[in-house]
Amino acid sequence: MNLKLAVLSIMIMVIFEGFNPGAQAVPDEAVGRIVSVISADSLGIEMVINDPRTTGVDSVRLADIAAPSTVTPEGKAAKKAADLLLKDQIVYIDIDENSTEGRNEWGQMVCVIYLIDSRYRPIWPPVNRMLVDDGHADLVEDGNNEFNSSAWWEDPIPQGSKGNISKYKEIMTSPKASSEGQNSASKSSVLDMESNAGRINIGYRA
């Protein structure tokens, strides 16, 4: 009987994981401010909360998407749209675990990133999918990284937080936070933009 119960428990866990695309996701391995948009899939991010693999200002490549070259009209339009969406925004960063130090052959961090709402929760879906949905990048699944881009079109059930969501919230809501810093945090929220754009915020909760 105990063996049957054990097998049943394993089956339930497998079924649950099948409906839980975010089970292994750690969306807040680092926190950073986007300081430059090189193209719709390549960014410069200044770290606010570091991971051991990050530097002060890091070059980031968005995982599993490819934007058109910026020498083309399509690439210039995609870069402009990404700049309007992302420049100066604070984001949570999920870094690829399969790459050496989380980087590709050009030294860029391979990441999935999440915008933040007014309650410091990551906004679903990730930016990577937003750019694909808006036609500014193509989906290009890379089987070498840890990410499964198909999960971006499923409802998230997040697990495995590193605790930086709570840490960033504490930083921004502490009495020591300057009024300028709080104003910047307010600007970093895209909650109003998401509402205007018709997207539903079902973000991760800390």
Side-chain angles (χ1 to χ4, degrees):
M1 182 64 67
N2 289 339
L3 180 60
K4 288 182 179 179
L5 286 174
V7 172
L8 180 61
S9 297
I10 292 171
M11 289 176 65
I12 291 172
M13 288 175 64
V14 170
I15 292 170
F16 177 76
E17 290 295 330
F19 287 93
N20 189 355
Q24 301 304 317
V26 185
D28 61 330
E29 289 178 303
V31 183
R33 181 175 68 90
I34 297 174
V35 293
S36 62
V37 176
I38 295 90
S39 65
D41 58 13
S42 297
L43 311 169
I45 300 184
E46 179 182 28
M47 298 301 160
V48 177
I49 299 176
N50 278 291
D51 179 88
R53 294 164 290 181
T54 62
T55 61
V57 177
D58 231 319
S59 177
V60 168
R61 175 63 185 262
L62 297 181
D64 291 346
I65 69 170
S69 169
T70 54
V71 302
T72 67
E74 295 82 6
K76 291 176 181 176
K79 177 183 175 180
K80 182 177 180 180
D83 192 82
L84 290 171
L85 175 67
L86 300 173
K87 186 70 177 292
D88 292 325
Q89 299 289 346
I90 303 293
V91 292
Y92 292 126
I93 304 167
D94 185 2
I95 304 167
D96 179 34
E97 300 292 343
N98 292 348
S99 307
T100 303
E101 294 298 311
R103 299 180 185 276
N104 62 20
E105 58 268 42
W106 298 284
Q108 297 171 295
M109 300 289 296
V110 179
C111 303
V112 174
I113 66 172
Y114 300 83
L115 293 164
I116 300 174
D117 73 11
S118 59
R119 294 172 63 186
Y120 303 99
R121 300 171 302 178
I123 290 172
W124 186 265
V127 168
N128 307 49
R129 174 189 153 180
M130 288 183 185
L131 293 169
V132 173
D133 282 348
D134 291 341
H136 304 310
D138 293 324
L139 185 66
V140 181
E141 182 74 33
D142 182 355
N144 293 320
N145 66 41
E146 70 165 299
F147 304 112
N148 176 11
S149 61
S150 65
W152 301 343
W153 279 265
E154 301 177 31
D155 290 342
I157 308 174
Q159 302 289 332
S161 170
K162 298 270 290 186
N164 284 328
I165 293 172
S166 296
K167 185 176 180 180
Y168 179 65
K169 181 177 180 180
E170 288 171 8
I171 290 171
M172 296 310 299
T173 57
S174 71
K176 294 182 180 180
S178 67
S179 58
E180 180 180 353
Q182 290 175 348
N183 288 338
S184 296
S186 176
K187 290 178 182 178
S188 74
S189 171
V190 293
L191 185 61
D192 293 338
M193 181 198 69
E194 287 295 300
S195 176
N196 293 338
R199 293 194 180 98
I200 299 173
N201 173 12
I202 50 173
Y204 294 122
R205 297 181 182 273

